[in-house]
Amino acid sequence: MFQTLAVRKAQGTQYIADLRAAQPSGFRGKPVIATDACAPNCRACADICPSNAIQLNASTADAVAIDLGRCVLCGDCAPVCPSQKISFNNDVKLCATTRRGLVVSAAHPNIDPIAVSAALKKRFGRSLKLRSVSAGGCNGCEMEVNAWGNVNFDIGRYGIDLVASPRHADGIVLTGVVNRNMMDALQIAWQAVPEPKLLIAVGACAISGGVFAESETLAREFMDQYPPTLYVPGCPAHPLTFISGIMDLLGIAG
Amino acid sequence: MTHTPRQAWAQVDLKTFPLLSTSELVAQCIQGLEANFVLISWFGRAALATEPAGVVVTAVLLPPGQPLVLLRGHAQPGAHYPSLTASFAGAQIFERELWEQTGLVPDGHPWLKPVRYEGARQGRMGEYPFFKVRGAEVHEVGVGPIHAGVIEPGHFRFMCHGERVHHLEIQLGYQHRGVEALLLKKPPQHLTPLVESMVGDSAVAYAWAFNSGLESLTNRPVALATIASRAIGLELERLAIHLSTLGGLATDTAYLQAAATYGRLRTAIINASQRACGNRFGRGWIRPGAAAPIGEPLRQDLLATLAAFLPDFVQVNTLMRSSRSVQARFQGVGTLTTQAALDLGVTGVVARASGVALDLRHSLPGAVYAAFAPAAHTETSGDCWARMSQRMQEAQASAQWLIDRLADTALNLADTPAPFAPLAPSAPGGCSGGWSLTPQALCVSLVEGVRGPVLLALETDASGQLAHAKVQDPSLANWYGEAFALRGQAISDFPICNKSFDLSYCGNDL
């Protein structure tokens, strides 16, 4: 009894009161691309990128573009750039509702803010039940999805929960590359979710295949067939990235 | 130090290394196993274009108190050989994998089924040939690949007699991403982010194993401070994953106070990792020749975090261990005896919970763990309770080890090349140029990750290109231990057994 109380006292109050304002210390998050010109014929950043996330258009003023749908936030491009054009800040607000919206460059430094969907807000704004499916994941994003509901992030406070059955769910949280060995199970789980439903792609693997995009084990027809409602970049996606994105999409005041 | 401590890697020159016949290879392995060598791995690859057709097989053995031993053999395409499993059950999964990847047939193997449905077998998960039990009151329960919680996919087939599990068969492969093939597609000095994504909760262990192999093949030994920083990243990772498992064990027994507390404590640790390397899972901590430098403010920060962490961790462990309902749920459930653990060749934390004192941080310590050995601990009962206690003890030892190392300013933890220090494109260090590999060499490197030995084997061809890469997670050997521990238990014991083993699905599936 006294031991229980002592542990409870040590636990204190852990929840982050203002999730939108939270800025994780040290997080290697959004890439920032400076306007300086590239060194002639330099491809150092694109060559070292493990997931082909960097597009070079040397002929234009906006020479370097990073696709956060592919980027794993590894940071390896920053030190190899002789012009020191690339750095990373701790911004977690990386979500987008379109695939094209995930590309940042010097001319387009911020991801477009997510507009509140009136339809989604009306239907799911106070209760959103999600089923997690890992299809060729590495347990990184899966652990971060688990953290959404822990004592720090506590998204349950907004009625967002992960549920056991797809039949109880309003949508699927997809992590992993979508590989041949899981594609049938993913399809069955998706079909078991009643309409209307949404797909949330969490992490670079789910969005693009990430560092595994060139593997012959991938079978991503599912992604072509069912475009995600929300893209949540990262490797793994930081809990606050998802939380800020879903709060914006559903118009949750916070 | 008067002698070089045993390193956790072994490199051989393949130009002169003996290539045995399969029967000689099997005979020498059995001889080693009879002398209490540990079979760390047994794997193969198709012959290169420059070699005679067939399969080259590598055995990795750890003799007690000695450096790693490598053996190599050659087999004709599709050859049969006398199964090691017939005399040593612990070889079963390695021989299955060798058969799945190369077609070599171990004669006398009782359980020759695909490990992960790779290559041409992809997408044929429905064809798995489960064992069948027949008889009155016999029934089967199939669970997965998708489970109720947020967890990786795998299929569990319980063959039950009434409420009792007669046998559990575990079918894996659902996370297969073809990581070994991908390692051959890019320059090796650019591969660390891929390696960190193989098993995302063991990113530091994998990155360290891979980079120590790369550094050995390029003959670029790293500074003591670099090794020390890597060990600090690794122990933080060990601590974080043990906390995650303990939280899961509390959740699975509906012991919510401990679950909430472990969740809070784990957050403090992974956020500390993030402040050191930019990522909560240790990604970016290790790069070729480099590791996160721990300068004075960060050292103080990590010390303060751990000093606040440790008493709270000990307190909640004591509370959880004193709970009668936790005791009733875990004690005597899911037992893997010491003999079974030895016979089945299980490894890492699972083996230690069954009384097998095998930890690479002691047997192949390298410079830092040799000078500063973490406290060793084993349990004896081999049940869910032992695996919970083992994790508590190992996590506590890691936290204390971290505090001691971080307090030791003589380690000069800032004195390491940093992963993200800007480099001229032609500079010979860091992630840029100058990483030409020794031709025709094989390097097998190991790191004691949170679950046990993580193995990366890198082999180069005559031109110094990577010709083959083998990745092995400790879970590969341990999944069968879990299936075995379920025998005679109730189906309702499965969640706590599964969580107490806490094995990696993606590490098995690659």
Side-chain angles (χ1 to χ4, degrees):
Chain A
M1 168 73 185
F2 290 115
Q3 243 180 346
T4 302
L5 290 172
V7 170
R8 179 66 194 86
K9 182 163 180 284
Q11 179 79 345
T13 303
Q14 295 294 330
Y15 80 103
I16 300 166
D18 186 350
L19 288 166
R20 272 210 176 85
Q23 296 194 330
S25 172
F27 175 59
R28 189 168 48 251
K30 192 176 74 180
V32 179
I33 302 159
T35 50
D36 312 46
C38 287
N41 302 320
C42 180
R43 292 190 46 84
C45 61
D47 286 346
I48 204 170
C49 179
S51 52
N52 299 320
I54 302 181
Q55 294 141 18
L56 294 177
N57 294 298
S59 54
T60 69
D62 200 25
V64 177
I66 298 184
D67 177 1
L68 282 166
R70 292 173 176 266
C71 177
V72 292
L73 309 179
C74 72
D76 282 356
C77 52
V80 298
C81 174
S83 317
Q84 295 177 12
K85 273 176 71 80
I86 304 172
S87 60
F88 290 79
N89 66 23
N90 73 337
D91 191 353
V92 291
K93 294 189 174 58
L94 308 175
C95 286
T97 50
T98 64
R99 183 67 187 80
R100 288 179 51 144
L102 293 169
V103 179
V104 294
S105 65
H108 185 251
N110 295 310
I111 291 165
D112 298 333
I114 294 176
V116 178
S117 159
L120 291 175
K121 180 180 180 176
K122 181 161 184 281
R123 200 176 291 276
F124 300 124
R126 293 170 61 177
S127 170
L128 177 67
K129 306 301 168 196
L130 298 168
R131 167 67 246 186
S132 150
V133 176
S134 169
C138 78
N139 206 30
C141 284
E142 291 76 7
M143 289 190 93
E144 290 295 48
V145 170
N146 257 319
W148 296 354
N150 73 12
V151 292
N152 304 96
F153 299 111
D154 184 28
I155 54 160
R157 71 180 101 166
Y158 300 121
I160 303 170
D161 288 304
L162 291 151
V163 294
S165 168
R167 298 205 189 280
H168 303 159
D170 303 312
I172 279 187
V173 172
L174 176 67
T175 52
V177 296
V178 189
N179 54 348
R180 279 202 183 77
N181 286 356
M182 261 305 278
M183 62 182 186
D184 292 345
L186 171 63
Q187 184 73 41
I188 292 167
W190 176 251
Q191 281 164 357
V193 178
E195 298 277 1
K197 56 188 167 187
L198 46 89
L199 179 67
I200 299 174
V202 172
C205 285
I207 298 172
S208 70
V211 292
F212 304 106
E214 291 173 17
S215 171
E216 54 84 35
T217 62
L218 271 55
R220 290 175 56 80
E221 294 81 0
F222 179 88
M223 302 307 292
D224 303 330
Q225 215 174 337
Y226 308 105
T229 304
L230 188 66
Y231 297 89
V232 187
C235 185
H238 197 286
L240 288 169
T241 300
F242 167 75
I243 289 167
S244 57
I246 198 77
M247 286 177 76
D248 288 349
L249 182 66
L250 300 182
I252 294 170
Chain B
M1 271 168 278
T2 53
H3 67 286
T4 310
R6 285 189 302 278
Q7 302 293 355
W9 71 82
Q11 183 175 324
V12 294
D13 179 356
L14 297 176
K15 289 192 287 295
T16 54
F17 200 72
L19 201 56
L20 310 169
S21 69
T22 38
S23 55
E24 282 173 302
L25 180 66
V26 169
Q28 289 199 19
C29 278
I30 288 176
Q31 210 176 357
L33 290 166
E34 283 169 351
N36 289 324
F37 291 20
V38 177
L39 182 63
I40 299 281
S41 189
W42 167 267
F43 62 87
R45 60 156 174 82
L48 306 177
T50 51
E51 295 172 327
V55 175
V56 175
V57 181
T58 300
V60 184
L61 293 146
L62 179 61
Q66 298 289 320
L68 277 178
V69 170
L70 305 187
L71 298 169
R72 303 256 287 178
H74 177 269
Q76 296 300 321
H80 290 235
Y81 68 95
S83 166
L84 278 173
T85 307
S87 47
F88 178 71
Q92 59 91 17
I93 196 72
F94 302 136
E95 293 198 310
R96 282 173 59 183
E97 187 191 47
L98 180 68
W99 166 73
E100 182 172 29
Q101 291 191 331
T102 70
L104 291 191
V105 182
D107 282 333
H109 193 296
W111 195 290
L112 204 55
K113 303 179 184 184
V115 173
R116 61 177 73 91
Y117 282 79
E118 62 179 296
R121 289 189 180 86
Q122 283 177 82
R124 290 159 53 189
M125 307 302 282
E127 297 176 9
Y128 188 87
F130 286 99
F131 285 116
K132 290 276 175 204
V133 285
R134 294 193 185 84
E137 298 174 48
V138 161
H139 65 106
E140 291 186 353
V141 180
V143 183
I146 300 176
H147 301 269
V150 182
I151 183 173
E152 296 184 80
H155 182 86
F156 299 83
R157 183 77 56 97
F158 300 90
M159 293 144 208
C160 301
H161 185 245
E163 280 300 301
R164 276 175 52 145
V165 178
H166 190 68
H167 175 67
L168 161 63
E169 194 160 1
I170 303 172
Q171 182 200 3
L172 298 174
Y174 294 96
Q175 297 285 55
H176 179 56
R177 295 145 294 156
V179 303
E180 290 176 346
L182 284 174
L183 283 171
L184 307 182
K185 289 194 174 178
K186 278 183 187 281
Q189 68 272 26
H190 294 177
L191 286 173
T192 308
L194 169 69
V195 172
E196 289 173 334
S197 293
M198 288 177 176
V199 177
D201 57 29
S202 300
V204 177
Y206 273 73
W208 192 356
F210 173 77
N211 279 296
S212 66
L214 178 59
E215 287 151 7
S216 174
L217 285 170
T218 51
N219 195 22
R220 296 167 62 113
V222 294
L224 187 71
T226 306
I227 304 173
S229 165
R230 290 175 177 182
I232 285 169
L234 180 68
E235 296 309 318
L236 283 169
E237 178 173 275
R238 187 183 321 280
L239 194 46
I241 301 306
H242 280 330
L243 285 160
S244 166
T245 310
L246 291 168
L249 284 168
T251 304
D252 283 352
T253 44
Y255 190 33
L256 299 184
Q257 183 178 22
T261 303
Y262 287 124
R264 185 254 304 184
L265 292 170
R266 174 174 170 267
T267 303
I269 298 300
I270 62 178
N271 284 351
S273 283
Q274 180 173 266
R275 294 195 294 279
C277 73
N279 184 281
R280 305 210 310 164
F281 290 77
R283 291 165 192 239
W285 196 297
I286 294 174
R287 286 293 181 271
I294 300 171
E296 191 53 22
L298 179 61
R299 189 180 73 87
Q300 296 289 351
D301 168 4
L302 296 178
L303 264 178
T305 302
L306 288 157
F309 163 86
L310 189 52
D312 286 7
F313 178 58
V314 173
Q315 186 187 41
V316 67
N317 289 346
T318 308
L319 177 67
M320 183 145 163
R321 291 173 62 84
S322 70
S323 161
R324 296 287 290 274
S325 59
V326 173
Q327 292 166 12
R329 199 70 194 85
F330 288 169
Q331 289 177 353
V333 173
T335 300
L336 192 67
T337 63
T338 306
Q339 193 57 52
L342 289 168
D343 289 348
L344 299 177
V346 300
T347 190
V349 63
V350 169
R352 294 192 288 274
S354 289
V356 180
L358 176 64
D359 186 329
L360 295 179
R361 293 175 298 168
H362 297 118
S363 46
L364 299 172
V368 167
Y369 288 123
F372 312 105
H377 182 82
T378 53
E379 295 281 325
T380 52
S381 58
D383 51 4
C384 289
W385 178 261
R387 287 184 288 276
M388 176 193 77
S389 302
Q390 183 69 28
R391 289 179 194 280
M392 287 175 176
Q393 292 293 334
E394 290 194 12
Q396 193 178 328
S398 287
Q400 189 58 55
W401 189 91
L402 283 163
I403 289 171
D404 295 343
R405 297 294 77 71
L406 287 162
D408 180 359
T409 50
L411 280 172
N412 295 318
L413 290 165
D415 199 15
T416 168
F420 301 108
L423 292 163
S426 59
C431 302
S432 290
W435 289 94
S436 57
L437 307 179
T438 307
Q440 278 185 280
L442 168 68
C443 184
V444 175
S445 51
L446 291 158
V447 166
E448 184 76 24
V450 64
R451 296 185 178 88
V454 169
L455 176 144
L456 264 288
L458 303 174
E459 183 181 340
T460 57
D461 61 17
S463 65
Q465 302 294 308
L466 275 187
H468 182 245
K470 181 80 204 97
V471 181
Q472 186 183 296
D473 190 87
S475 303
L476 183 75
N478 284 359
W479 276 108
Y480 190 78
E482 175 175 330
F484 195 78
L486 247 287
R487 288 191 178 176
Q489 309 297 295
I491 278 197
S492 54
D493 294 328
F494 174 69
I496 58 171
C497 286
N498 192 44
K499 183 47 75 176
S500 71
F501 278 84
D502 202 9
L503 304 176
S504 174
Y505 300 70
C506 56
N508 183 90
D509 298 349
L510 302 179

